[in-house]
Amino acid sequence: MKKYKYIMMLLGITALIGSCGNQGNGNGSSNGALSSSAAEKAYVAPGEHDEFYAFMSGGYSGNITVYGLPSGRMFKEIPVFSQFPTSGYGYSEETKPMLNTSYGFVPWDDSHHPDISQSKGELDGRWIFINGNNTPRIARVSLSTFETEEIIELPNSAGNHSSSFITENTEYVVAGTRFSVPVPQRDMPINEYKGNFKGALSFISVDPENGGLDLKFQLLMPGFNYDLSHPGRGKSHGWFFFTTYNTEEANSLMEVNSSQNDKDFIAAINWKKIEEYVNNGGGTTVPAEYAHNVYDEHTHTATSTIKKEVLTVDPTKVPGAVFFLPTPKSPHGCDVDPSGQYIIGNGKLSADLTVHSFDNMIAAIEGKKFDGEAYGIPILKFEDVLAGVVKSGGLGPLHTEFDGQGNAYTTFFISSEVVKWKLGTWEVLDRQPTFYSVGHLMIPGGNSAKPFGKYVVAMNKITKDRYLPVGPEMEHSAQIYDISGDKMELIYDFPTHGEPHYAAGIPADLLAPKAKKIYRLTENEHPYAVLNPADARVERDGNVVHVYMSTIRSHFTPDNIEGIKVGDKVYFHITNHEQDFDVPHGFAMIGQNTSELLIMPGQTKTSLWEPKKPGVWPFYCTDFCSALHQEMQGYVRVSPSGSDVPLTYTLGE
Ligand code: K7E
Ligand code: CUA
């Protein structure tokens, strides 16, 4: 891997030197010096708002970060698959169930591809979905509260990478497995992989009213690696496309053994046909175990349910639903243009981009022009489905986005550049270097029928000399290009957090007006909420103590508690009585084996404390909420176990 990275870097540098006429940046010391007119384009004056939200996947942070475009200012980190001590997500009693899985509590994941909900192919800004790769999961995040509301685990899946992409009316979130595995999982020799492992493609239905997720069916495909996917749209709505690699079905020395075939496939799935088959009773229900975790905005509490079965579909049982389109070997990205006509598959080891035509594909299917089959699935002829080839001159193509004006933009990892080309003529129109080794790129709405083609953001893998060094690892870097003119213009770059793979952007005016500002106290249905400070109290039940606590600037009620004993389990249920925007209170207790809580206005959250030592122990508010924030504190007296100090508390009379 190290060596690979090194070679990549060398190639990257070569490309930079080759293109220094473009940006005047070949010498490393003055990289990226921009004219002031370019800087103005990224400048959002203090107090002004950005034009777009950009939601970046966190990669190995497991979360989503929210930025503004074009300023590159970071607004928030939304915890999704990883515990987040900053807010108490995954630490508070209410949110711990969100991270439950069939393997128990899994407080981390690797998130790659956010996708915003759509109606009629256009962004509707209701939810954003994202995949957890490692312990396969899909999350749904509300775009009014900017909180994770639901996580569903995927059985029979492994390395949930060709995920989470949605169909044009958000009928489904689709999630494909990168690693094929035995289905069902069982103890068997690894070298019997070929022909025995399966690649599950999961179709998770989305309730149009409340976004509720349900694993509707899993298509059990041959044991290839399903790398990336995108939905058809417009004329190709009803289809879904997946790139595959390792059609060799090798199980070791993959970098050699899975690059033997000259062509791998894009799998074209007619999900409407499969849905019809399933709705008519098709498919086989098999035992499976997976968690379904749902957060309720009114109880402010998540519940986790373990599901016990899943409906599987054998693709050969649904004739006409699944086809393979040969694509130059080891493709990565699989992108569909806004019209739904072109499907772009980029062979990572190729210099050219392969563009398939949906119309050609349908004609070939109707003409039954097949070139054999793989495990009973018809293979179309490469020449029959090809729309064109982009002779890009770049190296290592990965991902493509669209500006809605007939142009496509493809990233090249090895040659570190973004190449702009024209749909239909396949001619290259422009190319700009990236710093360095770009992965995905993002145009707001770029995965929809209506992109907002004003900026493209490139997300780079290697940062090295772009910023002041901070030890051996740098945060990854993103770059913003203005693409409103004929030529792309680099206007800004900024560090990101974790490893953003893909991102999703949306115009600010589609989200900002409906962003939630407070939770209404009158709508708080948390069973341990204190809706009136006079109801604050402490109750003991054996060695379990419930503290019903309220907070308002600048006081905890109760603020002194006595009669707690070593060996107790003390639950602090804290309700924030503020009803003003942006006034959370925090809570932290000395020696607690968990994180702080950050409690939003109108919300109730719970922290568990198990006192270990007799004494008088303080707690305090962690968020500088008011002039007297520093006075927002209290004490708990802890007596030895067996002591008869009575339970008392002060209500601040
Ligand atoms: Cu190319 Cu996970 Cu989409 Cu990274 S993936 S770059
Ligand atoms: Cu409440 Cu500081």
Side-chain angles (χ1 to χ4, degrees):
M1 188 60 212
K2 279 264 159 60
K3 196 169 172 194
Y4 180 69
K5 256 193 176 176
Y6 180 67
I7 293 168
M8 297 293 139
M9 275 157 49
L10 280 183
L11 285 163
I13 288 164
T14 314
L16 288 176
I17 292 169
S19 62
C20 61
N22 265 343
Q23 285 283 343
N25 52 20
N27 65 12
S29 61
S30 64
N31 267 353
L34 301 175
S35 68
S36 62
S37 66
E40 273 166 25
K41 291 184 176 174
Y43 183 68
V44 177
E48 298 288 312
H49 288 177
D50 280 276
E51 289 171 73
F52 294 95
Y53 285 93
F55 295 86
M56 296 203 174
S57 68
Y60 43 67
S61 86
N63 294 335
I64 292 176
T65 46
V66 188
Y67 290 81
L69 297 181
S71 74
R73 299 182 295 193
M74 181 180 157
F75 302 145
K76 182 170 187 158
E77 179 167 3
I78 303 173
V80 183
F81 297 112
S82 295
Q83 278 181 303
F84 193 59
T86 306
S87 66
Y89 178 87
Y91 291 93
S92 71
E93 296 303 302
E94 288 82 359
T95 53
K96 281 200 280 197
M98 289 302 281
L99 303 180
N100 190 40
T101 72
S102 63
Y103 307 92
F105 184 70
V106 177
W108 172 87
D109 218 304
D110 179 18
S111 60
H112 283 218
H113 306 117
D115 207 7
I116 294 171
S117 56
Q118 297 181 11
S119 299
K120 299 199 175 91
E122 297 183 14
L123 302 183
D124 64 23
R126 293 192 293 167
W127 307 294
I128 188 165
F129 302 90
I130 193 162
N131 59 327
N133 263 312
N134 183 55
T135 303
R137 288 174 276 182
I138 295 289
R140 179 176 56 82
V141 174
S142 158
L143 288 180
S144 100
T145 62
F146 292 66
E147 298 273 356
T148 304
E149 288 190 328
E150 191 167 2
I151 293 181
I152 191 165
E153 188 185 351
L154 301 174
N156 302 325
S157 195
N160 172 37
H161 193 260
S162 37
S163 324
S164 54
F165 298 105
I166 54 155
T167 55
E168 77 172 23
N169 295 300
T170 320
E171 295 96 334
Y172 290 98
V173 188
V174 180
T177 194
R178 176 166 149 219
F179 309 119
S180 283
V181 288
V183 175
Q185 270 292 6
R186 59 193 177 274
D187 176 14
M188 64 176 281
I190 298 170
N191 65 13
E192 292 175 17
Y193 173 159
K194 192 167 185 159
N196 291 313
F197 284 21
K198 290 274 181 264
L201 308 181
S202 303
F203 285 72
I204 302 144
S205 62
V206 182
D207 185 306
E209 290 307 312
N210 58 26
L213 303 177
D214 184 32
L215 178 47
K216 178 121 173 177
F217 61 87
Q218 288 190 313
L219 189 62
L220 295 184
M221 296 284 285
F224 310 153
N225 290 44
Y226 296 83
D227 201 16
L228 273 156
S229 67
H230 263 92
R233 57 178 60 98
K235 62 166 71 178
S236 55
H237 178 55
W239 289 80
F240 224 95
F241 304 94
F242 292 80
T243 41
T244 70
Y245 65 99
N246 193 28
T247 51
E248 297 84 352
E249 295 178 81
N251 57 278
S252 89
L253 268 182
M254 300 290 288
E255 66 275 35
V256 177
N257 292 334
S258 74
S259 303
Q260 297 301 306
N261 295 345
D262 178 48
K263 300 241 180 354
D264 288 303
F265 301 127
I266 286 179
I269 314 285
N270 186 331
W271 59 261
K272 281 240 161 127
K273 246 195 174 118
I274 298 170
E275 181 185 58
E276 197 183 298
Y277 170 77
V278 162
N279 287 346
N280 289 321
T284 311
T285 301
V286 301
E289 200 182 22
Y290 60 102
H292 182 204
N293 311 330
V294 181
Y295 183 82
D296 182 308
E297 193 184 311
H298 297 296
T299 61
H300 300 283
T301 302
T303 48
S304 178
T305 313
I306 298 290
K307 300 265 181 127
K308 294 291 187 191
E309 53 184 35
V310 65
L311 184 64
T312 59
V313 174
D314 172 348
T316 62
K317 298 269 166 61
V318 197
V322 182
F323 300 90
F324 286 133
L325 284 57
T327 300
K329 71 166 85 170
S330 307
H332 186 52
C334 182
D335 296 290
V336 178
D337 85 303
S339 74
Q341 165 69 335
Y342 298 120
I343 303 121
I344 294 125
N346 302 327
K348 301 191 283 291
L349 307 174
S350 163
D352 300 336
L353 309 181
T354 302
V355 185
H356 294 305
S357 150
F358 178 73
D359 288 345
N360 291 357
M361 180 189 94
I362 294 297
I365 292 169
E366 281 169 358
K368 297 205 171 4
K369 291 163 77 181
F370 302 135
D371 191 10
E373 45 130 274
Y375 295 103
I377 295 169
I379 302 172
L380 300 168
K381 291 201 181 98
F382 178 69
E383 302 74 28
D384 289 347
V385 291
L386 190 70
V389 171
V390 181
K391 298 273 177 201
S392 68
L395 279 174
L398 292 185
H399 299 284
T400 301
E401 290 264 291
F402 308 90
D403 63 7
Q405 283 128 42
N407 304 308
Y409 300 74
T410 300
T411 53
F412 289 78
F413 179 81
I414 299 177
S415 54
S416 275
E417 59 186 335
V418 178
V419 171
K420 175 182 179 181
W421 52 276
K422 195 160 187 57
L423 288 160
T425 69
W426 325 122
E427 82 194 280
V428 170
L429 302 174
D430 190 22
R431 60 199 321 134
Q432 287 293 327
T434 62
F435 310 98
Y436 307 90
S437 302
V438 59
H440 275 271
L441 74 176
M442 182 274 280
I443 292 172
N447 174 33
S448 78
K450 187 183 168 194
F452 301 86
K454 184 160 181 193
Y455 304 107
V456 63
V457 182
M459 286 157 279
N460 305 313
K461 300 299 181 194
I462 294 168
T463 307
K464 30 174 203 168
D465 55 15
R466 295 301 286 175
Y467 310 121
L468 294 173
V470 287
E473 154 95 296
M474 303 281 287
E475 289 281 29
H476 291 209
S477 177
Q479 290 176 271
I480 306 172
Y481 301 83
D482 181 326
I483 54 168
S484 57
D486 286 344
K487 299 288 176 190
M488 292 178 270
E489 185 183 10
L490 176 62
I491 57 171
Y492 195 61
D493 70 2
F494 60 100
T496 58
H497 185 56
E499 181 181 354
H501 289 258
Y502 196 31
I506 183 168
D509 55 17
L510 291 178
L511 286 197
K514 62 185 186 68
K516 207 171 187 75
K517 296 201 162 65
I518 60 163
Y519 296 101
R520 286 188 195 290
L521 205 51
T522 51
E523 292 172 5
N524 183 326
E525 292 166 17
H526 192 294
Y528 291 94
V530 181
L531 299 183
N532 183 336
D535 296 334
R537 62 197 184 276
V538 183
E539 291 176 356
R540 174 182 285 282
D541 178 10
N543 73 330
V544 174
V545 177
H546 291 284
V547 179
Y548 295 74
M549 187 179 269
S550 71
T551 66
I552 195 151
R553 280 166 284 182
S554 306
H555 194 72
F556 288 105
T557 311
D559 67 353
N560 279 196
I561 302 170
E562 302 200 3
I564 303 299
K565 292 178 255 185
V566 171
D568 282 348
K569 280 166 133 18
V570 182
Y571 291 94
F572 292 94
H573 308 286
I574 304 166
T575 303
N576 181 350
H577 279 224
E578 307 287 351
Q579 291 286 270
D580 278 348
F581 183 30
D582 201 20
V583 191
H585 292 291
F587 174 84
M589 181 79 220
I590 188 170
Q592 68 181 154
N593 302 108
T594 178
S595 78
E596 66 153 356
L597 298 177
L598 203 62
I599 311 137
M600 298 305 129
Q603 195 176 44
T604 304
K605 279 187 179 172
T606 302
S607 189
L608 170 63
W609 180 49
E610 297 177 85
K612 309 284 192 309
K613 304 172 190 174
V616 177
W617 307 103
F619 57 86
Y620 71 100
C621 172
T622 51
D623 185 298
F624 204 108
C625 51
S626 60
L628 296 175
H629 153 79
Q630 217 59 351
E631 281 73 12
M632 205 166 164
Q633 62 183 54
Y635 285 107
V636 180
R637 173 181 171 191
V638 177
S639 305
S641 64
S643 118
D644 53 8
V645 175
L647 188 67
T648 56
Y649 47 91
T650 57
L651 293 178
E653 305 83 14

